[in-house]
Amino acid sequence: MATAAPSAPQGGNSHDLRTIATIWVVLSIVGDLAFWFLAGPHIPPGRMSDQARGAQFDFNVLFVIALPVVILVWTYLGFAVIRWRASRPNADEAPVIVPPRTALRIQTSWIAITSVVVIGLFGFGTYELIAPAGAGGGEGPTPIWKPNTKTILPIQVIGQQWMWTYRYPSFGGFETTQLMVPKNTEIAFHVTSLDVVHDFWAYQLGVKADANPNEDDVAYVKPEQLGRFTVRCDELCGLWHGAMYSYGHVVAPTAFYHWATTTEQKLAANTKTLPPFAWTYTPGANGASGSLYPSNVDPYSKSSLYGSSTVKVKQYGASAAQS
Amino acid sequence: MATPVANFKETPEEIAYELRAAEGAAWIGSRSLIGVGAFIYASLAFAYFYLRSANQAQLWRPHHVTAPTELGAAIFALSAATAALSMYGAYRFRRGSVVDWEVAGWMGLLLGALGFALQIYELTRLPFYPGSSGYASTFVGWGALNLVGLLGGCYWLETLLARSLRLRRAVAEDGGAANSTLPAARLFRASVEGCTVFWGFLAIVAVCFWALFYLV
Amino acid sequence: MASTITTPVEGSTGAPPPAQRMRNRPAWASQHLGTALIGAVGGYAFGHWIGNVIAAGYTVPQSNGQNDVAVVLGLSLGALGYLIGIGAFNYPIAKMFGREPLPEVAEEGWQRFFRFNLDHKVVGMQYVIVSLLFLFTGGLLAMAIRTELLNPTNHIFGAGTYIAVVGEHGTIMMMMASSVVIGPLGNWLVPLMIGSRRMAFPRVEATSVWLFSAGYLVILTALPLGGFPTGWTGYAPLQNQSTAGMDSYLVGFAIIGMGMILAGLNLGATIINYRAPGMTWGRVPIFVWSVLATTALLVFATPTLVVAGLFGVLDRTALTAFYVNEHGGSSFLWENLFWFFGHPEVYIMALPGFGIVGEILPVFSRRPLFAYKVGAAGMLGVALLSFFVWQHHLFQSGINPDMRPLFMLTTELISIPTGFIFLVGLGTLWKARIRFEPPMLFALAVYFNFLIGGVTGVFLSDVPVNVTVHGSFFVLAHFHYTIMGGLIFAFFGGLYYWLPKMTGKTLNRKLAIWHFWIMFIFFNLTFFPMFIIGLLGQPRRVFEYATRLQGLNDFSSVSAYILGSSFLIFAFNFVWSIYIDPKRAESNPWGSRGLEWQVPTPVPHYNFERLPVVVADPYRYDEPDQGVADFGTFGDPALSPGAAPGERVPHGHVQSSDDSGDFDPRPPII
């Protein structure tokens, strides 16, 4: 193997290392402090809800960890490009070889440091996921990380091409295109779809959950500020995906109660024509997900070959069309 | 653009070296092919278990519908018989009997082709619509993938049998295909070995999915 | 004048080469791209007709005024006809009659690039051509996307056209990226780097490139068929709902997948078995390590894509219900299968790029590759881990939500072996003598860009942050930084580095440097704002966005136009330097110690006059006197240098069957 030649021309290894380290430390501290105090409070999704605040905090923590890594590599690269270019004066012909033992030490410590950072990030991320009840993400039909309270307001979010509707099971299950949520209340969004996969993204609330047909995807949120938030579809759902957005409002609990009860009465006749409230709805067999059958075949017929007669299928499209 | 290589000659050592490499490549190639097959069928098995556990709209397998059992058993038996025949043939081949391998191979090929035909026939005789349940869908998927596997296995076996016939005269004075040290014979043996293992793999796949679709 | 040589495996010498007779036929009677296209058209017409006959009794589905059976059969048989037309099936059919392969022919002239050629160097150049076709087509579509996004509310395209363009751009780029390095450079370089004269399965290799180009034609048919609205991820049940363009997507991806599998089979077997004497695992170039790790992914991950596509095709033609929830299927099934392929796919793209950078850095910094073993281990580690991370694409989908911490862990673990690759690069640069040739600029840019891509990947892997950035422009910027900033920069670095060897011509250095700076600066100006756009709430694949984001989007769009124009500089340089004003390249212009640079330019048909005996790893820039390999000592014990212990074949008794090697995958002698 190579003869270990720890030659140290031009001031030696330590000199260059010290320069890099100094630049790195200074830039990292300045950068981190500047980010944390100047940009940090404004990082999306803001602080409209408990979950949004958590996401912002997480982002900022990750940024503060990531920035020194980036600066380290960039400083090193920049230093190398300037200091170790072949065209510099007195470019040393004799190659500087890192002695094998030093190289080994560098490699092991590199592996150790990255491993520690990664395990730390994992622990931090897991804590931040579990502590705020799923951090606003979709948790499937049976969430295991729930808010620590009994009073949770369920709101059903129904994605369909290409709009969102909402049902409020606590108020007779009326369906509307308006999204109103009360402040300081734990809310469970039950996200489902009538056709293809959508994704319910209440941006400022820090909520995101896929809307899957025949699936109930639950996401918890606790709004903490009054105001308007954007709802966008975040999963490509076809032609008008780009236009599938609307707005929701965080209102005071009393205002919400007033709105909900009056809307319930106003829509009472309409609600009767809807299918009974359920966590999921099966679209009609010839619905949006493609007509798989010739029109003369009923996939839910009582034929022993075809489907199961015991299955109660709520035909959403069929009954809604009658109204 | 390439330099003329008219007077290019390989040394005997180089030829021997590349021949060893080619033998190794046949080994690695056949095993990688089994790897490809394993992930193909594993994807199907994943679909089977996923749809089964999801049981969407309670339509995994209404009324426990089952594909034609006799046909399924016959297809499975034919796959297994082909694999057994090629293994036995390869065993006799290693012992030096090329004719035994050829007979076993032709019989195996016949049975394999019969299995292929039966699989097509079964797909036209299903007692359910392909889309009537999760079971029905995965079964149609299994039918399609089994056809691909059987076709590949039969093709490989057939090319070897045909090659064996042509090889016979070339290696006759050198101890036959089972013993000859000629390059063609050595590569032929490597391919026979790979084909045998591949058929063993197909038989394992057949027994797994036979159990999944007809027994469970 | 073509001359023939017999391959060692045939054992036949002096036989009249029928292959040559065939190639000397007049153009209309021989097989080339023209006959392939005729075969494709004929196959499509035939398949379409058969499909209409089969499905004559079907009620045409209401949402889908097209007969999918006819389209799928047309596209599949069209691809088959294409392969038959090019001659890929000549030998497989001859084999059924027991025939030996025809002797390989060293073809001359430009025509060989449009034929089914078994020379890995020709196949590599064919891959270059098709990859660039993919790249430029996808790039034009990207320009269309950025043009639409110039204004948040005024539209240039209709919603349907825009979605079709977006899906087409994504799919074409993904197809291209999955082969852009492994195809051109992997096929061209691997035999030369490991000291082999040939590939293990040259026909498989040649078939892979023609499948690759068939996939290009098939995915292009999506546009006239109405496009597909699902993007490159093809989520069901939107997939089931879509019109006939979706068939192009499914069939095209399956064809590309088959090509990837074949390429992987061939390259893996070649690397494992065809290394020259002395090319031990400790001396294999880092690029070959990266290709080996990639072949494992190609062989084991891609079959899942093909099967997922088959299920989709069955859903659309045989009316199964794999992805239809209300008939017992599950839309999650596609998401799982697709991403089980999809994440290893990301590393299929990234790893060969790392390999290229690992080759370029030592040459231009005149230093040995630092931590070579750690780098190789890192690549294998990435390849292994990539099979266990796929559900991080599904963090918000409601699938297995309780498993999210686990997938967060595996995803973050991948940054450890990826970090090894940074360690290799930074260590190699330590007190180096860096020469700023175009390949080195691109290699350094890979570290710059991939760092941003990798670090933002950590943000995405963190579930709480993922809630905000999932599916937004943040993700889009992230993977453009890794794939374009990493892979495409590495690809161009590799092209500037190896094209002088591949073509024998010198590329214009000034134009190359102009290309680099424009591409580097405007790549960052195009995609860095997208991180901010995504954080500010713009989802992917939308044509309407918040008016407050118009400034950033316009900035990105204008930068994208300049970024796109930088590729024209490359195209001009390529055409000018190679065809219009060619200047002969030296055989080793960069002073590299790689084995591939030790052969004359242009590389002879059989690569090495004598098989090399490798005596050292290719990165000993610290010992200028140390040779890389001995040419001409093979099989001569008197001339052979002291063979290192553990070498695969001791010289002089290569025929003995009981050689103990460090890795010998052969079966027991049969």
Side-chain angles (χ1 to χ4, degrees), chain A residues 213-215 293 297 300 303-309 311, chain B residues 56-59 62-63 65 127-133:
Chain A
N214 269 27
E215 290 284 338
Y293 297 93
V297 172
Y300 303 117
S303 155
S304 63
L305 297 179
Y306 225 126
S308 165
S309 56
V311 179
Chain B
Q56 286 282 352
Q58 274 113 63
L59 277 177
H63 305 297
V65 289
F128 42 72
Y129 278 88
S132 59
S133 64

Side-chain angles (χ1 to χ4, degrees), chain A residues 232-297:
Chain A
R232 288 213 72 145
C233 178
D234 199 28
E235 194 59 77
L236 188 50
C237 58
L239 197 58
W240 296 104
H241 163 67
M244 187 169 160
Y245 61 90
S246 57
Y247 299 97
H249 298 270
V250 180
V251 295
T254 46
F256 171 78
Y257 185 78
H258 179 251
W259 170 82
T261 44
T262 48
T263 315
E264 183 186 356
Q265 285 162 12
K266 208 161 62 185
L267 294 178
N270 205 11
T271 308
K272 273 185 209 135
T273 66
L274 295 176
F277 181 85
W279 295 123
T280 62
Y281 306 92
T282 300
N286 285 330
S289 52
S291 55
L292 282 178
Y293 297 93
S295 49
N296 58 344
V297 172

Side-chain angles (χ1 to χ4, degrees), chain C residues 70-119:
Chain C
V71 175
V72 165
L73 276 179
L75 292 172
S76 313
L77 295 189
L80 192 70
Y82 184 77
L83 289 182
I84 292 172
I86 199 67
F89 280 93
N90 292 358
Y91 177 61
I93 291 169
K95 208 174 171 184
M96 292 183 70
F97 299 96
R99 296 189 190 280
E100 299 277 342
L102 297 172
E104 289 174 31
V105 177
E107 265 193 280
E108 308 280 323
W110 58 271
Q111 294 97 330
R112 66 194 161 142
F113 296 111
F114 298 92
R115 287 201 171 132
F116 191 77
N117 196 300
L118 302 187
D119 185 355

Side-chain angles (χ1 to χ4, degrees), chain A residues 184-207:
Chain A
N184 286 333
T185 313
E186 286 288 357
I187 291 159
F189 286 118
H190 290 258
V191 186
T192 187
S193 164
L194 294 184
D195 34 51
V196 302
V197 180
H198 304 270
D199 185 289
F200 175 69
W201 184 14
Y203 172 58
Q204 285 90 344
L205 289 186
V207 171

Side-chain angles (χ1 to χ4, degrees), chain A residues 89-148:
Chain A
N90 311 325
D92 35 318
E93 284 299 322
V96 184
I97 297 305
V98 184
R101 291 191 59 180
T102 317
L104 191 67
R105 224 178 301 144
I106 294 172
Q107 291 167 26
T108 44
S109 41
W110 178 281
I111 295 170
I113 292 171
T114 49
S115 304
V116 167
V117 170
V118 160
I119 301 295
L121 282 175
F122 161 67
F124 173 72
T126 306
Y127 175 78
E128 286 292 322
L129 169 67
I130 295 173
E139 291 197 77
T142 50
I144 56 167
W145 302 307
K146 297 178 189 167
N148 212 356

